[in-house]
Amino acid sequence: MKQALAVLWAGPNSLLGLLLGLATLATGGRAQVRRGVVEFYGGMASWLLRHLAPEGILAMTLGHTILGLSSAALDYARDHEHVHVRQYQRWGPFFLPAYGWCSLVAWWAGRRAYRDNYFEREAYGDEC
Ligand SMILES: [Zn+2]
């Protein structure tokens, strides 16, 4: 029951991930399920991840979906991304605004918008 509520609470974010996942499949990408999460890689997911940040990123979590650069990138990033899955389960539809806010606050304070974001620090196992 608790897990069903967590899936529902993260649902709007998962829906966005599924839409991007469908676009990934339509552009030659692949899908797989690992640890109860739907992962998409290749196709549009790879293009998006290469263009989201200047340095590129390996993977991105949206609710109970993960977009990855490749299958190998997903294997490498899976533990980190599953911390974000649990964050989505806690924050639900408020996760993305809260994540954006934390990046803004970090940047404003002269720190790194990505790496010093509270949610990333937790996912990387830093002391928060
Ligand atoms: Zn992360």
Side-chain angles (χ1 to χ4, degrees), residues 10-79:
N13 300 299
S14 303
L15 187 61
L16 178 61
L18 288 173
L19 290 173
L20 292 171
L22 286 177
T24 295
L25 292 175
T27 53
R30 316 271 318 242
Q32 61 190 18
V33 177
R34 297 287 185 274
R35 296 192 214 162
V37 170
V38 186
E39 300 177 345
F40 298 96
Y41 62 93
M44 197 220 59
S46 296
W47 182 89
L48 184 67
L49 294 169
R50 277 195 227 100
H51 290 83
L52 270 179
E55 68 278 17
I57 49 179
L58 292 177
M60 179 177 73
T61 301
L62 289 163
H64 289 88
T65 69
I66 302 173
L67 304 178
L69 207 53
S70 65
S71 179
L74 284 164
D75 288 343
Y76 181 80
R78 191 165 290 119
D79 288 343

